[in-house]
Coordinates of all heavy atoms in Angstrom, one line a residue:
M1 N -10.5 -9.6 27.1 CA -9.1 -9.3 27.1 C -8.3 -10.2 28.1 O -7.2 -9.8 28.4 CB -8.9 -7.8 27.4 CG -9.1 -7.0 26.3 SD -8.4 -5.4 26.6 CE -9.2 -4.3 25.5
P2 N -8.8 -11.3 28.6 CA -8.0 -12.0 29.6 C -6.7 -12.5 29.1 O -5.7 -12.4 29.9 CB -8.9 -13.2 29.9 CG -10.3 -12.8 29.5 CD -10.1 -11.9 28.3
A3 N -6.5 -12.8 27.8 CA -5.2 -13.3 27.3 C -4.2 -12.1 27.4 O -3.0 -12.2 27.8 CB -5.3 -13.7 25.9
E4 N -4.6 -10.9 27.1 CA -3.8 -9.7 27.2 C -3.4 -9.4 28.6 O -2.3 -9.0 28.9 CB -4.4 -8.5 26.6 CG -4.5 -8.5 25.1 CD -5.3 -7.3 24.5 OE1 -5.5 -6.4 25.2 OE2 -5.6 -7.4 23.3
A5 N -4.3 -9.6 29.5 CA -4.0 -9.4 30.9 C -2.9 -10.3 31.4 O -2.0 -9.9 32.2 CB -5.2 -9.6 31.8
A6 N -2.9 -11.5 30.9 CA -1.9 -12.5 31.3 C -0.5 -12.1 30.8 O 0.5 -12.3 31.4 CB -2.3 -13.9 30.8
Q7 N -0.5 -11.4 29.6 CA 0.8 -11.0 29.0 C 1.4 -9.7 29.6 O 2.5 -9.5 29.4 CB 0.5 -10.8 27.5 CG 0.2 -12.0 26.8 CD -0.2 -11.7 25.3 OE1 -0.2 -10.6 24.9 NE2 -0.6 -12.8 24.6
T8 N 0.6 -8.9 30.2 CA 1.0 -7.6 30.7 C 2.3 -7.7 31.5 O 3.3 -7.0 31.2 CB -0.1 -6.9 31.4 OG1 -1.2 -6.8 30.6 CG2 0.4 -5.5 31.9
P9 N 2.4 -8.5 32.6 CA 3.6 -8.5 33.4 C 4.9 -8.9 32.6 O 5.9 -8.2 32.8 CB 3.4 -9.6 34.5 CG 1.9 -9.7 34.6 CD 1.4 -9.4 33.2
A10 N 4.7 -9.8 31.7 CA 6.0 -10.2 30.9 C 6.4 -9.1 30.0 O 7.6 -8.9 29.6 CB 5.6 -11.5 30.1
E11 N 5.5 -8.3 29.5 CA 5.8 -7.2 28.5 C 6.2 -5.9 29.3 O 6.6 -5.0 28.7 CB 4.6 -6.9 27.7 CG 4.2 -8.0 26.7 CD 3.0 -7.8 26.0 OE1 2.2 -6.9 26.4 OE2 2.9 -8.3 24.9
W12 N 5.9 -5.8 30.6 CA 6.1 -4.6 31.3 C 7.5 -3.9 31.0 O 7.6 -2.7 30.7 CB 5.9 -4.8 32.8 CG 6.0 -3.5 33.6 CD1 7.1 -3.0 34.2 CD2 5.0 -2.5 33.7 NE1 6.8 -1.8 34.8 CE2 5.5 -1.4 34.4 CE3 3.7 -2.4 33.2 CZ2 4.8 -0.3 34.8 CZ3 3.0 -1.2 33.6 CH2 3.5 -0.2 34.3
A13 N 8.5 -4.7 31.2 CA 9.9 -4.1 31.0 C 10.2 -3.6 29.6 O 10.9 -2.7 29.5 CB 10.9 -5.3 31.3
K14 N 9.5 -4.1 28.6 CA 9.7 -3.7 27.2 C 9.2 -2.2 27.1 O 9.8 -1.4 26.4 CB 8.9 -4.5 26.3 CG 9.0 -4.1 24.8 CD 8.3 -5.0 23.9 CE 8.2 -4.5 22.5 NZ 7.5 -5.4 21.6
Y15 N 8.2 -1.9 27.8 CA 7.6 -0.5 27.7 C 7.9 0.4 28.8 O 7.9 1.6 28.6 CB 6.0 -0.7 27.6 CG 5.6 -1.5 26.3 CD1 5.3 -2.8 26.4 CD2 5.7 -0.8 25.1 CE1 4.9 -3.5 25.3 CE2 5.3 -1.5 24.0 CZ 5.0 -2.9 24.0 OH 4.7 -3.6 22.9
D16 N 8.4 -0.1 29.9 CA 8.8 0.7 31.0 C 10.3 1.1 30.8 O 11.2 0.4 31.4 CB 8.5 0.0 32.4 CG 9.0 0.8 33.6 OD1 9.3 2.0 33.5 OD2 9.2 0.2 34.7
K17 N 10.6 2.0 30.0 CA 12.0 2.4 29.7 C 12.6 3.0 31.0 O 12.1 3.8 31.6 CB 11.9 3.5 28.6 CG 11.3 3.1 27.3 CD 12.0 2.0 26.7 CE 11.3 1.7 25.3 NZ 11.7 0.5 24.7
G18 N 13.8 2.3 31.3 CA 14.5 2.8 32.4 C 14.1 2.1 33.8 O 14.6 2.4 34.8
G19 N 13.1 1.2 33.7 CA 12.7 0.5 34.8 C 12.2 1.4 36.0 O 12.4 1.1 37.2
K20 N 11.4 2.4 35.7 CA 10.9 3.4 36.6 C 9.8 2.8 37.5 O 9.5 3.4 38.6 CB 10.4 4.6 35.9 CG 11.3 5.3 35.0 CD 10.6 6.4 34.1 CE 9.5 5.9 33.3 NZ 9.7 4.9 32.3
G21 N 9.1 1.8 37.1 CA 8.0 1.3 37.8 C 6.7 1.8 37.4 O 5.6 1.6 38.0
Y22 N 6.7 2.6 36.3 CA 5.4 3.2 35.7 C 5.6 3.5 34.3 O 6.8 3.5 33.8 CB 5.0 4.5 36.4 CG 6.0 5.6 36.4 CD1 6.0 6.4 35.3 CD2 6.9 5.9 37.4 CE1 7.0 7.5 35.2 CE2 7.9 6.8 37.3 CZ 7.9 7.7 36.2 OH 8.8 8.7 36.1
L23 N 4.5 3.6 33.6 CA 4.6 4.0 32.2 C 4.2 5.4 32.0 O 3.2 5.9 32.6 CB 3.6 3.2 31.3 CG 3.8 1.7 31.3 CD1 2.7 1.0 30.4 CD2 5.2 1.3 30.9
T24 N 4.9 6.2 31.1 CA 4.6 7.5 30.8 C 3.5 7.5 29.8 O 3.1 6.4 29.3 CB 5.7 8.3 30.2 OG1 6.1 7.6 29.0 CG2 7.0 8.3 31.1
A25 N 2.9 8.6 29.4 CA 1.8 8.6 28.4 C 2.3 8.0 27.1 O 1.5 7.3 26.4 CB 1.3 10.1 28.2
L26 N 3.5 8.4 26.7 CA 4.1 7.9 25.4 C 4.3 6.4 25.5 O 4.0 5.6 24.6 CB 5.3 8.6 25.0 CG 5.9 8.2 23.7 CD1 4.9 8.4 22.5 CD2 7.1 9.1 23.4
E27 N 4.8 5.9 26.6 CA 5.1 4.5 26.8 C 3.7 3.7 26.8 O 3.7 2.6 26.2 CB 5.9 4.2 28.1 CG 7.3 4.7 28.1 CD 8.0 4.8 29.4 OE1 7.3 4.7 30.5 OE2 9.2 4.9 29.4
F28 N 2.8 4.2 27.5 CA 1.5 3.6 27.5 C 0.9 3.6 26.1 O 0.3 2.6 25.7 CB 0.6 4.4 28.5 CG -0.9 3.8 28.4 CD1 -1.3 2.7 29.1 CD2 -1.8 4.5 27.6 CE1 -2.6 2.2 29.0 CE2 -3.2 4.0 27.5 CZ -3.5 2.9 28.2
G29 N 1.0 4.7 25.4 CA 0.5 4.8 24.1 C 1.1 3.8 23.2 O 0.5 3.2 22.3
T30 N 2.4 3.6 23.3 CA 3.2 2.7 22.5 C 2.6 1.3 22.7 O 2.4 0.5 21.8 CB 4.7 2.8 22.7 OG1 5.1 4.1 22.4 CG2 5.4 1.8 21.8
W31 N 2.4 1.0 24.0 CA 1.9 -0.3 24.4 C 0.5 -0.6 23.8 O 0.2 -1.6 23.2 CB 1.9 -0.5 25.9 CG 1.1 -1.7 26.4 CD1 1.6 -2.9 26.5 CD2 -0.3 -1.7 26.8 NE1 0.6 -3.8 27.0 CE2 -0.5 -3.0 27.2 CE3 -1.3 -0.7 26.9 CZ2 -1.8 -3.4 27.6 CZ3 -2.5 -1.2 27.3 CH2 -2.8 -2.5 27.6
A32 N -0.3 0.5 24.0 CA -1.7 0.3 23.5 C -1.8 0.2 22.0 O -2.6 -0.6 21.4 CB -2.5 1.6 23.9
M33 N -0.9 0.9 21.2 CA -0.9 0.7 19.8 C -0.4 -0.6 19.4 O -1.0 -1.3 18.5 CB 0.0 1.8 19.2 CG -0.4 3.2 19.4 SD -1.9 3.7 18.4 CE -1.1 3.9 16.8
A34 N 0.5 -1.2 20.1 CA 1.0 -2.6 19.8 C -0.1 -3.6 20.1 O -0.2 -4.5 19.3 CB 2.2 -2.8 20.7
K35 N -0.9 -3.3 21.1 CA -2.0 -4.3 21.4 C -3.1 -4.2 20.3 O -3.8 -5.2 20.2 CB -2.6 -4.0 22.8 CG -1.8 -4.3 23.9 CD -1.7 -5.8 24.0 CE -0.7 -6.3 25.0 NZ -0.3 -7.7 24.7
Q36 N -3.1 -3.2 19.6 CA -4.1 -3.0 18.5 C -3.5 -3.5 17.2 O -4.1 -3.3 16.2 CB -4.5 -1.6 18.4 CG -5.2 -1.0 19.5 CD -5.5 0.5 19.4 OE1 -5.1 1.2 18.6 NE2 -6.3 1.0 20.4
G37 N -2.2 -4.1 17.3 CA -1.6 -4.6 16.1 C -0.8 -3.6 15.3 O -0.4 -3.8 14.2
N38 N -0.5 -2.5 16.0 CA 0.3 -1.4 15.2 C 1.5 -1.1 16.1 O 1.6 -0.1 16.8 CB -0.6 -0.2 15.1 CG 0.1 0.9 14.2 OD1 1.2 0.6 13.6 ND2 -0.5 2.0 14.1
D39 N 2.6 -1.9 16.0 CA 3.8 -1.8 16.8 C 4.6 -0.6 16.2 O 5.3 -0.7 15.2 CB 4.6 -3.0 16.9 CG 5.6 -3.0 17.9 OD1 5.9 -1.9 18.5 OD2 6.3 -4.0 18.1
V40 N 4.6 0.5 16.9 CA 5.3 1.7 16.4 C 6.5 2.1 17.3 O 7.1 3.1 17.2 CB 4.3 2.9 16.4 CG1 3.3 2.7 15.3 CG2 3.6 3.2 17.7
G41 N 6.8 1.2 18.2 CA 7.9 1.4 19.2 C 9.2 1.9 18.6 O 9.7 2.8 19.1
D42 N 9.7 1.2 17.6 CA 11.0 1.6 17.0 C 10.9 3.0 16.4 O 11.8 3.8 16.5 CB 11.5 0.6 16.0 CG 11.9 -0.8 16.7 OD1 12.2 -0.7 17.9 OD2 11.8 -1.8 15.9
V43 N 9.8 3.2 15.6 CA 9.7 4.5 15.0 C 9.6 5.6 16.0 O 10.1 6.7 15.8 CB 8.5 4.5 14.0 CG1 8.3 5.8 13.3 CG2 8.6 3.4 13.0
V44 N 8.8 5.4 17.1 CA 8.6 6.4 18.1 C 10.0 6.8 18.7 O 10.3 7.9 18.9 CB 7.6 6.0 19.1 CG1 7.6 6.9 20.4 CG2 6.2 6.0 18.5
E45 N 10.8 5.8 19.1 CA 12.1 6.0 19.7 C 13.0 6.9 18.9 O 13.6 7.7 19.4 CB 12.7 4.7 20.0 CG 12.3 4.0 21.3 CD 12.5 4.8 22.5 OE1 13.6 5.3 22.8 OE2 11.5 4.9 23.3
K46 N 12.9 6.6 17.6 CA 13.8 7.4 16.7 C 13.4 8.9 16.5 O 14.2 9.7 16.2 CB 13.8 6.8 15.3 CG 14.5 5.4 15.3 CD 14.4 4.8 13.9 CE 15.0 3.4 13.9 NZ 14.9 2.7 12.6
T47 N 12.1 9.1 16.7 CA 11.6 10.5 16.4 C 11.1 11.2 17.7 O 10.6 12.4 17.5 CB 10.5 10.4 15.4 OG1 9.4 9.7 15.9 CG2 11.0 9.8 14.1
K48 N 11.1 10.7 18.8 CA 10.5 11.4 20.0 C 11.0 12.6 20.4 O 10.5 13.4 21.1 CB 10.2 10.4 21.1 CG 11.5 10.0 21.9 CD 11.1 9.0 23.0 CE 12.2 8.7 23.9 NZ 11.9 7.7 24.9
T49 N 12.3 12.9 20.1 CA 12.9 14.2 20.5 C 12.8 15.3 19.4 O 13.4 16.4 19.6 CB 14.4 13.9 20.8 OG1 15.1 13.4 19.7 CG2 14.5 13.0 22.0
S50 N 12.2 15.0 18.3 CA 12.1 16.0 17.2 C 11.0 17.1 17.6 O 10.1 16.8 18.4 CB 11.7 15.3 15.9 OG 11.6 16.3 14.9
K51 N 11.1 18.2 17.0 CA 10.2 19.3 17.3 C 9.1 19.3 16.3 O 8.1 20.2 16.3 CB 10.9 20.6 17.3 CG 12.0 20.8 18.3 CD 11.5 21.0 19.7 CE 12.6 21.3 20.7 NZ 12.7 20.4 21.7
K52 N 9.1 18.5 15.2 CA 8.1 18.5 14.2 C 6.7 18.0 14.8 O 6.7 17.2 15.7 CB 8.5 17.6 13.1 CG 9.7 18.1 12.3 CD 10.1 17.2 11.2 CE 11.4 17.7 10.6 NZ 11.8 16.8 9.5
S53 N 5.7 18.4 14.2 CA 4.3 18.1 14.8 C 3.7 16.8 14.2 O 2.8 16.2 14.8 CB 3.4 19.3 14.6 OG 3.2 19.5 13.2
D54 N 4.2 16.4 13.0 CA 3.5 15.3 12.3 C 4.4 14.0 12.5 O 4.9 13.4 11.5 CB 3.3 15.5 10.9 CG 2.4 14.5 10.2 OD1 1.6 13.9 11.0 OD2 2.6 14.2 9.0
L55 N 4.7 13.6 13.7 CA 5.7 12.6 14.1 C 4.9 11.4 14.7 O 3.8 11.6 15.3 CB 6.7 13.1 14.9 CG 7.7 14.1 14.4 CD1 8.6 14.6 15.5 CD2 8.5 13.5 13.2
P56 N 5.5 10.2 14.6 CA 4.9 9.1 15.2 C 4.6 9.3 16.7 O 3.5 8.8 17.2 CB 5.9 7.9 15.0 CG 6.6 8.3 13.7 CD 6.7 9.8 13.8
A57 N 5.5 9.9 17.5 CA 5.2 10.1 18.9 C 4.0 10.9 19.1 O 3.2 10.6 20.0 CB 6.5 10.7 19.6
V58 N 3.8 12.0 18.4 CA 2.7 12.9 18.5 C 1.4 12.1 18.1 O 0.4 12.2 18.8 CB 2.9 14.2 17.7 CG1 1.6 15.0 17.7 CG2 4.0 15.0 18.1
K59 N 1.5 11.3 17.0 CA 0.3 10.6 16.6 C -0.1 9.5 17.6 O -1.3 9.3 17.9 CB 0.6 9.9 15.3 CG 0.7 10.9 14.1 CD 1.0 10.1 12.9 CE 1.2 11.1 11.7 NZ 1.6 10.5 10.4
V60 N 0.9 8.9 18.3 CA 0.6 7.9 19.4 C -0.1 8.6 20.5 O -1.2 8.1 21.0 CB 1.8 7.2 19.8 CG1 1.6 6.5 21.1 CG2 2.4 6.2 18.7
L61 N 0.4 9.8 20.9 CA -0.2 10.5 22.0 C -1.6 10.9 21.7 O -2.6 10.8 22.5 CB 0.6 11.7 22.4 CG 2.0 11.4 23.1 CD1 2.8 12.6 23.3 CD2 1.7 10.7 24.5
N62 N -1.8 11.4 20.5 CA -3.1 11.8 20.0 C -4.1 10.7 20.0 O -5.3 10.8 20.4 CB -3.1 12.6 18.7 CG -2.5 13.9 18.8 OD1 -2.5 14.5 19.9 ND2 -2.0 14.5 17.7
A63 N -3.7 9.5 19.5 CA -4.5 8.4 19.3 C -4.9 7.7 20.6 O -5.9 7.0 20.7 CB -3.9 7.4 18.3
T64 N -4.0 7.8 21.6 CA -4.2 7.1 22.9 C -4.5 7.9 24.1 O -4.5 7.4 25.2 CB -3.0 6.1 23.1 OG1 -1.8 6.9 23.2 CG2 -2.8 5.1 22.0
G65 N -4.6 9.2 23.9 CA -4.8 10.1 25.1 C -6.0 9.8 26.0 O -5.8 9.8 27.2
S66 N -7.1 9.5 25.3 CA -8.3 9.2 26.2 C -8.1 7.8 26.9 O -8.6 7.7 28.0 CB -9.6 9.2 25.3 OG -9.5 8.2 24.3
M67 N -7.5 6.9 26.2 CA -7.2 5.6 26.9 C -6.3 5.8 28.1 O -6.5 5.2 29.2 CB -6.6 4.7 25.9 CG -7.5 4.2 24.9 SD -6.7 2.9 23.8 CE -5.8 3.9 22.7
F68 N -5.3 6.7 28.0 CA -4.4 6.9 29.1 C -5.1 7.5 30.3 O -4.9 7.1 31.4 CB -3.3 7.9 28.6 CG -2.3 8.3 29.7 CD1 -1.2 7.4 30.0 CD2 -2.4 9.4 30.4 CE1 -0.3 7.7 31.0 CE2 -1.5 9.7 31.4 CZ -0.5 8.9 31.7
L69 N -6.0 8.5 30.0 CA -6.7 9.1 31.1 C -7.7 8.2 31.8 O -7.8 8.2 33.0 CB -7.6 10.3 30.6 CG -6.8 11.5 30.0 CD1 -7.7 12.5 29.4 CD2 -6.0 12.1 31.2
K70 N -8.2 7.2 31.1 CA -9.1 6.1 31.6 C -8.2 5.2 32.6 O -8.7 4.8 33.6 CB -9.8 5.4 30.6 CG -10.7 4.4 31.0 CD -11.5 3.6 29.9 CE -12.4 2.6 30.4 NZ -13.1 1.8 29.4
A71 N -7.0 4.9 32.1 CA -6.2 4.0 32.8 C -5.5 4.6 34.0 O -5.4 3.9 35.0 CB -5.1 3.4 31.8
D72 N -5.3 5.9 34.0 CA -4.6 6.6 35.1 C -5.6 6.9 36.2 O -6.1 8.0 36.3 CB -3.9 7.8 34.5 CG -3.1 8.6 35.6 OD1 -2.8 8.0 36.6 OD2 -2.8 9.8 35.4
K73 N -5.9 5.9 37.0 CA -7.0 6.0 38.0 C -6.7 7.1 39.0 O -7.6 7.7 39.5 CB -7.2 4.7 38.7 CG -7.7 3.6 37.8 CD -9.1 4.0 37.4 CE -9.7 2.8 36.6 NZ -10.9 3.2 35.9
N74 N -5.5 7.4 39.4 CA -5.2 8.4 40.5 C -4.8 9.7 39.9 O -4.5 10.7 40.7 CB -4.2 7.8 41.4 CG -2.8 7.6 40.9 OD1 -2.6 7.9 39.7 ND2 -1.9 7.1 41.7
G75 N -4.7 9.9 38.5 CA -4.5 11.1 38.0 C -3.0 11.6 38.1 O -2.8 12.9 38.0
D76 N -2.0 10.8 38.4 CA -0.7 11.3 38.6 C 0.1 11.3 37.3 O 1.3 11.5 37.4 CB 0.0 10.4 39.7 CG 0.2 9.0 39.2 OD1 -0.2 8.6 38.2 OD2 1.0 8.3 40.0
R77 N -0.5 11.0 36.2 CA 0.2 11.1 34.9 C 1.2 9.9 34.7 O 2.1 10.0 33.9 CB 0.8 12.4 34.6 CG -0.1 13.5 34.5 CD 0.7 14.8 34.2 NE -0.2 15.9 33.9 CZ 0.2 17.1 33.7 NH1 1.4 17.4 33.7 NH2 -0.7 18.0 33.5
H78 N 1.0 8.9 35.5 CA 1.8 7.6 35.3 C 0.8 6.4 35.4 O -0.2 6.5 36.1 CB 2.8 7.5 36.4 CG 3.8 8.6 36.5 ND1 3.9 9.4 37.6 CD2 4.7 9.1 35.6 CE1 4.9 10.3 37.4 NE2 5.4 10.2 36.2
I79 N 1.2 5.4 34.7 CA 0.4 4.2 34.7 C 1.2 3.1 35.5 O 2.3 2.8 35.0 CB 0.1 3.6 33.3 CG1 -0.7 4.7 32.5 CG2 -0.8 2.4 33.4 CD1 -2.0 5.1 33.1
T80 N 0.7 2.6 36.6 CA 1.4 1.7 37.4 C 1.0 0.3 36.9 O 0.1 0.2 36.1 CB 1.1 1.8 38.9 OG1 -0.3 1.5 39.0 CG2 1.4 3.2 39.5
P81 N 1.8 -0.7 37.2 CA 1.3 -2.1 36.8 C -0.1 -2.4 37.3 O -0.8 -3.0 36.6 CB 2.4 -3.0 37.5 CG 3.6 -2.2 37.7 CD 3.1 -0.8 37.9
D82 N -0.4 -2.0 38.5 CA -1.8 -2.3 39.0 C -2.8 -1.5 38.1 O -3.9 -2.1 37.8 CB -2.0 -1.8 40.4 CG -1.3 -2.8 41.4 OD1 -1.0 -3.9 41.0 OD2 -1.1 -2.4 42.5
E83 N -2.5 -0.3 37.7 CA -3.5 0.5 36.9 C -3.6 -0.1 35.5 O -4.7 -0.2 34.9 CB -3.0 2.0 36.7 CG -3.3 2.8 38.0 CD -2.6 4.2 37.9 OE1 -1.5 4.3 37.3 OE2 -3.3 5.1 38.4
L84 N -2.5 -0.6 34.9 CA -2.5 -1.2 33.6 C -3.3 -2.5 33.7 O -4.2 -2.8 32.8 CB -1.1 -1.5 33.2 CG -1.0 -2.1 31.7 CD1 -1.7 -1.1 30.7 CD2 0.4 -2.4 31.3
A85 N -3.1 -3.3 34.7 CA -3.9 -4.6 34.9 C -5.4 -4.3 35.0 O -6.2 -5.0 34.4 CB -3.4 -5.3 36.1
G86 N -5.7 -3.2 35.8 CA -7.1 -2.8 35.9 C -7.7 -2.4 34.6 O -8.8 -2.7 34.2
Y87 N -6.9 -1.6 33.9 CA -7.4 -1.1 32.5 C -7.6 -2.3 31.6 O -8.6 -2.4 30.9 CB -6.3 -0.2 31.9 CG -6.7 0.3 30.6 CD1 -7.7 1.2 30.4 CD2 -6.1 -0.2 29.5 CE1 -8.0 1.7 29.1 CE2 -6.4 0.1 28.2 CZ -7.3 1.1 28.0 OH -7.7 1.5 26.7
V88 N -6.7 -3.2 31.5 CA -6.8 -4.4 30.7 C -8.0 -5.3 31.1 O -8.7 -5.7 30.2 CB -5.5 -5.2 30.7 CG1 -5.7 -6.5 30.0 CG2 -4.4 -4.4 30.0
A89 N -8.2 -5.4 32.3 CA -9.3 -6.3 32.8 C -10.7 -5.6 32.5 O -11.6 -6.3 32.4 CB -9.2 -6.5 34.3
G90 N -10.7 -4.2 32.3 CA -11.9 -3.6 32.0 C -12.5 -3.1 33.2 O -13.5 -2.8 33.5

């Protein structure tokens, strides 16, 4: 994954909504799905405040939850740029 690691800093702002300096589980999941060739960002944004259970946001969280836990090295429920770089590097 070295090519992806090189792209991470340039893409950070796209996924870090609001420039918080970390990714939430949903932001990380959206990034991870895009890396797998399934860019669901626009669909997730449109549906993430709905209460329905079969929505893109829920599917993203379910599909990427274990990846998020692996990437979140300090367990604070946020993915920092360093944690993401470490996750990408393997």
Side-chain angles (χ1 to χ4, degrees):
M1 286 194 197
E4 289 178 8
Q7 294 173 0
T8 302
E11 295 176 336
W12 182 263
K14 177 180 177 181
Y15 297 100
D16 178 14
K17 303 294 183 194
K20 305 172 301 301
Y22 62 83
L23 300 181
T24 64
L26 185 56
E27 291 166 345
F28 173 82
T30 302
W31 171 83
M33 297 288 284
K35 286 296 173 197
Q36 295 172 354
N38 189 10
D39 191 352
V40 294
D42 291 338
V43 178
V44 167
E45 278 300 312
K46 291 178 186 175
T47 62
K48 72 179 182 182
T49 59
S50 178
K51 303 281 188 236
K52 296 179 182 177
S53 62
D54 190 30
L55 293 172
V58 173
K59 290 178 181 178
V60 166
L61 291 171
N62 287 338
T64 61
S66 62
M67 289 185 276
F68 180 83
L69 293 174
K70 183 178 178 183
D72 184 19
K73 294 294 184 189
N74 64 2
D76 67 354
R77 297 183 172 174
H78 299 122
I79 304 299
T80 64
D82 288 342
E83 286 174 323
L84 185 61
Y87 175 78
V88 170

